[in-house]
Amino acid sequence: MEFKDNKQEMVTRLACCVVAALILYYAVEKYAGKLNIPLLDQYRPWLEQNKIQAIAIVAAVLFGASLAVFPLEKPAPEIPPEPCFDGYEPVEGMG
């Protein structure tokens, strides 16, 4: 059950990173001329031709950064219950 919860948290985090990458991409696309960043102007043709790859790269970077800043909780190891022998005495001579 713990693995499923951990997996669900990771998928949710990844989905949030993809949405954030989409928002960043379209914000940069819309305001690229107003930002006046030479490096952005240099890569603009590649960004326009490779939208999916650019979004995937940004999402991966955001996901890695989120794991570095907020690591996933490791599930506590399950400890088997100790056997209860209260009230029992060994029987001798059986066999």
Side-chain angles (χ1 to χ4, degrees):
M1 186 68 172
E2 292 292 328
F3 176 73
K4 187 175 180 180
D5 292 340
N6 199 5
K7 188 175 178 181
Q8 181 66 32
E9 181 183 344
M10 192 164 40
V11 169
T12 302
R13 186 183 298 214
L14 181 60
C16 291
C17 291
V18 170
V19 170
L22 282 166
I23 292 169
L24 283 172
Y25 179 83
Y26 287 111
V28 166
E29 187 178 56
K30 184 175 181 178
Y31 299 111
K34 297 175 185 177
L35 294 175
N36 197 16
I37 301 172
L39 186 63
L40 185 61
D41 292 336
Q42 179 183 353
Y43 289 105
R44 188 181 306 172
W46 184 87
L47 290 171
E48 290 173 356
Q49 293 173 357
N50 302 290
K51 288 182 182 182
I52 295 173
Q53 290 88 341
I55 293 167
I57 290 168
V58 172
V61 169
L62 290 173
F63 184 72
S66 75
L67 287 175
V69 175
F70 305 107
L72 294 174
E73 293 181 14
K74 293 182 181 178
E78 284 191 32
I79 300 172
E82 292 185 22
C84 180
F85 295 113
D86 291 342
Y88 292 96
E89 295 185 20
V91 177
E92 295 181 29
M94 296 282 297

